[in-house]
Amino acid sequence: MATLSDDTLRKILIQIQQTAIQSQKALSVSTQQTAAKERERRILQLTMDEIGALDEDVNLYKGVGKMFMMMPRKEMEQELKSQEKELTDDINNLNKKTKYLEKQYNEAQAQLRDIFHHAPKQ
């Protein structure tokens, strides 16, 4: 097996460390985004439950900037369902991204362990 120069090994080690750090940061951001989307989805579900408990003839109002607009119940329910579907899709995509980043981070950690485990003792 050909030995690599110290400079080359140092560059490889730095690159692996940077990959691990970037993966860890991206993983943290992805986890925070997932938590925020979950909160939004839960609020939407609670809103839909509250609207479902109301009578059919009750007026519903949606906040638009600094004012409120009256909306038909069916339209409001459809809008909330589409928002919930969009949030669910976003959460699923973020979960996939999180799994990928975890894998990338674990691989970088394993590479670092291998390098230090197989490093010659001085």
Side-chain angles (χ1 to χ4, degrees), residues 38 40-50 84 88:
E38 287 284 355
E40 283 183 53
R41 186 173 70 175
R42 184 67 186 136
I43 289 170
L44 270 177
Q45 288 172 339
L46 290 171
T47 302
M48 287 171 39
D49 290 346
E50 288 294 320
E84 182 184 23
T88 301

Side-chain angles (χ1 to χ4, degrees), residues 33-45 48 79-95:
Q33 289 175 341
T34 302
K37 298 281 184 184
E38 287 284 355
R39 273 192 303 277
E40 283 183 53
R41 186 173 70 175
R42 184 67 186 136
I43 289 170
L44 270 177
Q45 288 172 339
M48 287 171 39
E79 186 175 317
L80 291 174
K81 285 179 185 175
S82 70
Q83 287 177 3
E84 182 184 23
K85 183 185 180 312
E86 188 176 310
L87 284 172
T88 301
D89 292 343
D90 288 347
I91 290 168
N92 290 337
N93 290 336
L94 284 169
N95 285 335

Side-chain angles (χ1 to χ4, degrees), residues 115-122:
I115 288 172
F116 288 118
H117 181 65
H118 295 300
K121 304 281 192 267
Q122 293 181 357

Side-chain angles (χ1 to χ4, degrees), residues 51-69:
I51 289 174
L54 297 174
D55 294 332
E56 288 289 327
D57 59 345
V58 174
N59 292 331
L60 298 177
Y61 296 88
K62 176 184 175 183
V64 180
K66 292 183 177 182
M67 64 181 202
F68 294 93
M69 289 181 48

Side-chain angles (χ1 to χ4, degrees), residues 1-13 15-16 115 118-120 122:
M1 180 175 138
T3 58
L4 298 172
S5 69
D6 286 344
D7 190 42
T8 306
L9 286 173
R10 188 173 296 115
K11 286 180 183 178
I12 292 171
L13 183 62
Q15 183 180 8
I16 294 171
I115 288 172
H118 295 300
Q122 293 181 357

